[in-house]
Amino acid sequence: MTDYQDHTLAAIMAAKPLYMKSASLSEQVYTLLKELILERKIPGSSEMLESRLAEELQVSRTPMREALVRLAGENLLERRGARSYTVRTIDIKEYLDTMALREVLEAEAVGKALDKISAATLDDLLKELRELIDAGEAQEHLFWRFDEKLHNTIAEASGNLVLAQVLKGLRVNVRLFRLHSPLHRQQENHAEHLDLLTAMREGDREKSLASIRKHIVNLRNDVISSL
């Protein structure tokens, strides 16, 4: 079997079927494929053929095409032909460039969010984080979902929607880079997230900015040390 058949089709066949509910079929296809990519069920460089995917998911080509174009627009896929895509791969240079930019922009987001984000929102995030910590080593997708929620919530609370969108794209780069290696610092990330949220809840600007910078630098250094 080809790499495409080994990985992409296996992931599709194992996924839950799509149903015509409130979300459009295109939206459902997009959500499913994005989840399969970011949860490492479809590896980097895997081929994504529009016709084959439509056949396997038993949908017409129009919603499939719309979903694939949307994923390509979010830099999760690269176009290889008129109806063919591959999961985008991120090399070490692009990863390090991404983290350098994140260090600046995540601190900007935290600084702006401090005066706007509600105590209730921070308390909810802290509660969810403590539950993850108490659960011990969680399934990787649960970690990533909280990580995405935390960073998105802070970025959106900054009030700068362009900043939030740019940061979301940068985190996609990080997730794609991480497709090639297992996440092995869940507890360290939890501790750094806890420091950040605690500082924000206390309204400590200096500590909040130091915490987010430390978090991003530690993520980058962790990868560098593994090379």
Side-chain angles (χ1 to χ4, degrees), residues 42-57:
I42 300 178
S45 299
S46 294
E47 187 178 18
M48 309 282 281
L49 298 174
E50 179 187 302
S51 58
R52 184 66 65 84
L53 288 170
E55 179 183 340
E56 290 299 323
L57 286 176

Side-chain angles (χ1 to χ4, degrees), residues 3-72:
D3 180 69
Y4 173 80
Q5 291 171 319
D6 281 341
H7 300 294
T8 307
L9 293 186
I12 292 293
M13 291 169 68
K16 58 188 177 183
L18 303 178
Y19 298 98
M20 292 294 289
K21 293 184 177 178
S22 57
S24 70
L25 196 52
S26 174
E27 181 73 21
Q28 292 181 64
V29 172
Y30 159 81
T31 300
L32 174 61
L33 293 181
K34 183 173 183 178
E35 179 180 288
L36 293 175
I37 292 168
L38 292 181
E39 293 184 2
R40 305 203 303 183
K41 295 174 183 175
I42 300 178
S45 299
S46 294
E47 187 178 18
M48 309 282 281
L49 298 174
E50 179 187 302
S51 58
R52 184 66 65 84
L53 288 170
E55 179 183 340
E56 290 299 323
L57 286 176
Q58 299 181 347
V59 299
S60 68
R61 292 192 181 187
T62 297
M64 179 57 67
R65 184 177 305 120
E66 291 172 350
L68 292 173
V69 168
R70 185 174 171 186
L71 290 167

Side-chain angles (χ1 to χ4, degrees), residues 103-163:
E103 184 181 350
V104 175
L105 296 184
E106 294 273 7
E108 177 74 6
V110 167
K112 289 184 176 299
L114 272 171
D115 298 327
K116 301 180 178 69
I117 195 166
S118 70
T121 296
L122 291 172
D123 286 342
D124 287 344
L125 288 170
L126 280 164
K127 179 176 182 292
E128 189 173 345
L129 175 57
R130 289 187 175 112
E131 288 173 353
L132 279 175
I133 293 172
D134 290 342
E137 198 74 9
Q139 294 183 37
E140 198 166 312
H141 73 278
L142 296 177
F143 165 83
W144 283 117
R145 286 178 184 176
F146 177 77
D147 184 81
E148 189 76 5
K149 179 179 180 180
L150 182 150
H151 287 282
N152 279 344
T153 299
I154 293 173
E156 290 165 6
S158 74
N160 187 327
L161 298 182
V162 174
L163 174 61

